[in-house]
Amino acid sequence: PGQLIRNEVVLEAKRLLTHTTLSAAEVGYQLEFDDPGYFNRFFKREAGLTPAQFQTRSLEKYNFC
């Protein structure tokens, strides 16, 4: 059950990072993380990239810049 919850949180974080102009810290706060550093570590552990790296790659990939 814990992994399912983490997967959903990461999926929502990816959606917000790709389709909004929110910063990584703001996305973390939206997802109920009180500490931006913890959100960064959580996201990197689960997704393999920091939120900022993911956002940059997504914007480049989909030409949202």
Side-chain angles (χ1 to χ4, degrees), residues 2-14 17 27-28 31-33 35-51:
Q3 188 60 48
L4 290 173
I5 293 169
R6 288 188 296 277
N7 289 346
E8 289 299 315
V9 171
V10 169
L11 183 62
E12 182 64 10
K14 287 179 176 181
L17 290 166
V27 169
L31 297 173
E32 305 291 326
F33 286 86
D35 179 11
Y38 179 69
F39 173 67
N40 281 337
R41 289 189 304 276
F42 167 82
F43 189 89
K44 185 168 184 175
R45 183 182 67 235
E46 298 296 323
L49 299 167
T50 66

